[in-house]
Amino acid sequence: MARATTGPAYPERFYAAASYVGFAGSADSSAVASKFNNEVSLLLYALYQQATVGPCNIPKPSSWSPVEQSKWKSWSGLGNMASAEAMRLFVKILEEEDPGWYSRADVASDAVVDVQMNHNSKNEEVVENGNASPETKTVSTENGRAGESQDKDVVSEGLGSISVYDQWVAPPVSGQRPRPRYEHGAAVIGEKMYVYGGNHNGRYLNDLQVLDLRAWSWSRVEVKTGIQTPEGQSSIQSIPCAGHTLIPWGNKLLSVAGHTKDPSEALQVRVFDTQTCTWSILKTYGKPPVSRGGHSVTLVSSSLVIFGGQNANRSLLNDLHLLDLETMTWDEFDAAGVPPSPRSDHAAAVHAERYLLIFGGGSHAACFNDLHVLDLQAMEWSRPIQQGDIPTPRAGHAGVTIGESWFIVGGGDNKSGAAETVALNMSTLAWSVVTSVQGRVSLASESKMIETSVHDSVSAVHNATNTRDIDSELDAGQDGKIREIVMDNIDGEKIKSKDGVEHLVTDLKNEKEELESELSREKLQNQQLKQELSEAEIRNADLVKELQSVRGQLAAEQSRCFKLEVDVAELRQKLQTMEQMEKELELLRRQKAASEQAALSAKQRQGSGGVWGWLAGTPAQKEDDA
């Protein structure tokens, strides 16, 4: 990216731009209005007056004239902006609207208009349309052409393309701006950036806004429902959600997970078809992860890698899942190494289609500035050493990769917003600070907070570009009648600026009706809850009575059980006595048996002696012989 080396330096560059636009030494804006739309014309007029005359000190026009009223409001809206800053903003806006203006400007041989500043000018003022402007004089250019210098604020990006370098600017957008929000999803398809959902003052949104990056115009997408999709499903309504991730996939948008009013247990992927303007639910296979928000989703080849986040119960996660978009199958990975601690609102990027980088994020008590790398081939976590000035801890930041650089912007630690925009060289893992902004600019917003205070000059330009009470164009026709101001919408149709006001009023009415309808639903739900509570109290009273009855029965059973235990103890004692008696009886039986056996043996011995004597021939002795 080479810096521009052609074009005059300031203030000559401003004078050349003013001459090209059509001011030509005066504040006549008829030529300007013929080249640009109404908002840009008013802004260029106001910046020209601020640069050449200074702050608006003239009273508000008393006569009712839409042209003069709008011009005065645009000029006075710049406040006390410095002349040099007004010059630079004038040139930058011209470069955004007409990047190749200098190559077509006839400043090589013509004189450059040099308008004296009001505080240094002694020239007589020329009054035109009620606005004072100093008389101009011409100063010849040196050697017949404008001198070459280097402007540090611009770079050359190809032929005829000049843009701001290392600096944040607010482009002059048109159309109805979306409501302020955070935790929304954003993705770019072609030359359009889509913004879906988000959190607005604690309320989940379901609108889908689109910003035309070529025309810098906002519009709202009207979602169609009840239409049969090519996949055979019926289109659904937009679901209010926040903390989701929007991923471009061909001509479709994938909205992955997010917090909803009625969260589901499993993670859902919703699909928006930009051609049919329909929402549908992506049909997947396998076990999906638990529903969550504040996670990161990274598109790697044809797969989505989901990491971390916070589930519906506010539990932080550090699990890793993959959805194959070719087979629509879920897989859960248990990688080696030490994974990042559970967190949400972090940033993730992929490098070389192999390495997944996780930076920052927060828990319930702290924010992080650690860097983790997952090798998607080896499936191993590592925590490499970071080089350069490591960014401060932050959560809720945004990240985008351009080449080898990973740019991180915004976020904070719930104490202050991160003012610096940093870049990480993903090859060397070296951090560098790209630029910084005021601490309370929305770019430096804290995590889950919306910052509204901005720098005076940025606020002035913002106010000037959002003038919506214009009913006439800046220039007059040949018939002397003031023509109505018109501006191009993204379809190329001409719409009146007052239609924008009517559209805004219509949107506010619609929002009011939505809020009233939601309030009615909440009241109805409250009545239902009260009725359910009353029924629950009645059931509770019945349960109390039943519990008391059960307690009485339990007391009776306990008394009976006690008596049974006493009876059992007595029976056990009797049983022990009977066992002892049985043992004694058995002993007596044995003794009796032994006595009977001894008596029988004695009788047998007596009988056996007489028999053997008879057999031996010895006569038995008589009792008298003895």
Side-chain angles (χ1 to χ4, degrees):
M1 185 176 290
R3 295 185 178 274
T5 57
T6 61
Y10 287 97
E12 285 77 11
R13 189 179 185 87
F14 162 73
Y15 303 145
S19 177
Y20 172 79
V21 167
F23 286 109
S26 68
D28 183 8
S29 54
S30 59
V32 182
S34 63
K35 294 182 179 180
F36 307 101
N37 60 41
N38 58 306
E39 293 185 354
V40 176
S41 299
L42 284 174
L43 182 55
L44 291 175
Y45 163 80
L47 291 172
Y48 179 84
Q49 291 292 86
Q50 192 80 7
T52 58
V53 179
C56 181
N57 295 322
I58 63 175
K60 186 176 181 180
S62 57
S63 61
W64 190 90
S65 172
V67 175
E68 301 307 324
Q69 293 278 346
S70 301
K71 292 166 66 176
W72 180 88
K73 185 174 182 179
S74 299
W75 184 12
S76 61
L78 298 179
N80 295 322
M81 179 187 293
S83 298
E85 187 174 2
M87 288 183 179
R88 290 186 178 275
L89 288 175
F90 185 98
V91 175
K92 290 175 183 177
I93 291 173
L94 175 60
E95 289 171 347
E96 290 172 356
E97 294 293 325
D98 190 358
W101 71 271
Y102 188 76
S103 62
R104 294 188 293 273
D106 187 15
V107 296
S109 59
D110 295 340
V112 178
V113 178
D114 186 5
V115 182
Q116 298 294 330
M117 302 302 169
N118 185 45
H119 57 274
N120 294 328
S121 176
K122 296 182 181 180
N123 297 332
E124 296 182 357
E125 294 182 343
V126 179
V127 179
E128 178 186 358
N129 295 329
N131 295 323
S133 60
E135 186 179 0
T136 60
K137 65 177 182 179
T138 57
V139 178
S140 300
T141 55
E142 184 178 0
N143 297 327
R145 66 183 183 89
E148 295 184 354
S149 66
Q150 178 173 337
D151 184 0
K152 67 178 181 179
D153 293 332
V154 298
V155 293
S156 175
E157 295 179 344
L159 298 177
S161 177
I162 299 178
S163 61
V164 177
Y165 178 78
D166 284 355
Q167 184 177 341
W168 285 102
V169 295
V173 297
S174 60
Q176 181 64 41
R177 293 172 182 258
R179 280 176 289 182
R181 65 193 67 197
Y182 59 98
E183 292 186 332
H184 52 280
V188 175
I189 295 181
E191 295 181 348
K192 295 182 178 180
M193 182 181 72
Y194 294 84
V195 177
Y196 169 57
N199 197 323
H200 173 69
N201 295 332
R203 177 188 175 195
Y204 294 157
L205 303 176
N206 67 339
D207 58 333
L208 181 62
Q209 306 283 346
V210 59
L211 174 64
D212 191 318
L213 299 177
R214 179 176 292 275
W216 289 112
S217 60
W218 281 105
S219 61
R220 178 169 178 167
V221 179
E222 297 298 332
V223 178
K224 300 178 182 179
T225 58
I227 298 177
Q228 197 76 7
T229 62
E231 291 78 12
Q233 300 180 357
S234 180
S235 60
I236 61 175
Q237 295 181 349
S238 301
I239 300 176
C241 63
H244 53 285
T245 304
L246 207 60
I247 300 294
W249 184 41
N251 61 348
K252 299 180 180 180
L253 294 169
L254 302 180
S255 177
V256 184
H259 297 301
T260 59
K261 185 178 180 180
D262 299 317
S264 60
E265 295 182 0
L267 185 148
Q268 288 186 343
V269 180
R270 293 179 289 275
V271 184
F272 180 79
D273 193 324
T274 58
Q275 295 181 348
T276 61
C277 294
T278 57
W279 280 104
S280 60
I281 297 179
L282 186 67
K283 185 177 181 181
T284 59
Y285 304 92
K287 183 179 180 181
V290 66
S291 179
R292 66 193 64 197
H295 54 289
S296 63
V297 181
T298 309
L299 181 62
V300 182
S301 185
S302 61
S303 299
L304 297 181
V305 181
I306 294 92
F307 172 78
Q310 187 181 66
N311 62 16
N313 298 324
R314 292 181 55 83
S315 297
L316 294 170
L317 308 169
N318 66 341
D319 51 348
L320 188 67
H321 299 265
L322 184 142
L323 175 61
D324 191 327
L325 295 178
E326 294 181 351
T327 62
M328 299 300 172
T329 305
W330 285 103
D331 286 318
E332 181 177 3
F333 291 98
D334 187 11
V338 180
S341 60
R343 65 190 63 197
S344 65
D345 298 322
H346 53 278
V350 63
H351 176 54
E353 293 295 317
R354 174 174 177 176
Y355 301 100
L356 177 68
L357 286 73
I358 302 293
F359 171 74
S363 64
H364 296 309
C367 293
F368 311 116
N369 64 342
D370 49 353
L371 178 66
H372 297 262
V373 177
L374 173 65
D375 189 332
L376 295 173
Q377 291 186 3
M379 292 307 297
E380 182 177 2
W381 285 105
S382 63
R383 188 171 178 180
I385 299 176
Q386 305 177 60
Q387 308 293 332
D389 297 331
I390 300 177
T392 56
R394 64 191 67 191
H397 47 286
V400 63
T401 58
I402 301 177
E404 295 287 323
S405 298
W406 185 21
F407 293 87
I408 302 294
V409 60
D413 57 1
N414 281 331
K415 295 181 181 179
S416 62
E420 71 277 6
T421 299
V422 297
L424 174 69
N425 187 309
M426 293 184 290
S427 296
T428 61
L429 297 181
W431 289 100
S432 60
V433 177
V434 178
T435 186
S436 296
V437 295
Q438 293 289 333
R440 295 189 64 82
V441 173
S442 56
L443 286 171
S445 60
E446 302 175 22
S447 174
K448 298 183 180 180
M449 294 182 65
I450 298 295
E451 299 291 336
T452 58
S453 175
V454 295
H455 190 263
D456 293 340
S457 61
V458 179
S459 297
V461 174
H462 179 76
N463 294 332
T465 55
N466 282 279
T467 304
R468 300 187 181 279
D469 58 351
I470 307 168
D471 292 325
S472 300
E473 197 177 12
L474 295 175
D475 57 336
Q478 294 180 355
D479 55 357
K481 297 181 179 180
I482 301 176
R483 296 178 298 169
E484 293 182 340
I485 294 179
V486 294
M487 56 186 178
D488 295 335
N489 62 1
I490 58 174
D491 297 326
E493 299 177 353
K494 298 295 184 177
I495 62 173
K496 298 179 181 180
S497 61
K498 62 181 181 181
D499 292 341
V501 179
E502 294 176 355
H503 182 66
L504 176 61
V505 173
T506 302
D507 289 345
L508 292 176
K509 289 181 179 179
N510 293 335
E511 184 176 358
K512 179 182 178 182
E513 292 176 356
E514 292 177 2
L515 291 175
E516 290 177 349
S517 177
E518 185 174 355
L519 180 60
S520 300
R521 289 194 298 268
E522 293 294 338
K523 288 182 178 179
L524 179 60
Q525 185 177 5
N526 189 25
Q527 292 177 356
Q528 293 176 353
L529 291 175
K530 286 183 178 180
Q531 183 177 358
E532 292 177 359
L533 179 60
S534 178
E535 295 175 355
E537 290 177 350
I538 295 175
R539 290 196 300 269
N540 186 35
D542 295 338
L543 290 175
V544 169
K545 294 179 181 179
E546 185 177 356
L547 179 60
Q548 292 177 352
S549 176
V550 171
R551 285 180 177 175
Q553 295 177 3
L554 181 60
E557 292 296 330
Q558 287 179 344
S559 177
R560 180 184 174 187
C561 182
F562 179 73
K563 292 180 180 180
L564 290 175
E565 288 179 353
V566 173
D567 294 342
V568 169
E570 292 178 353
L571 291 174
R572 284 180 179 176
Q573 187 176 4
K574 291 180 180 181
L575 181 61
Q576 291 177 356
T577 303
M578 291 179 65
E579 291 177 352
Q580 186 66 27
M581 291 176 65
E582 287 181 356
K583 290 180 180 180
E584 293 178 357
L585 180 60
E586 182 67 22
L587 180 60
L588 291 175
R589 287 176 179 174
R590 290 179 180 179
Q591 291 177 355
K592 179 182 177 182
S595 298
E596 292 177 351
Q597 185 67 26
L600 181 62
S601 299
K603 289 180 180 182
Q604 290 178 352
R605 284 197 300 270
Q606 292 178 359
S608 62
V611 172
W612 284 105
W614 181 78
L615 291 174
T618 302
Q621 297 181 357
K622 298 181 179 179
E623 294 179 356
D624 56 351
D625 292 338

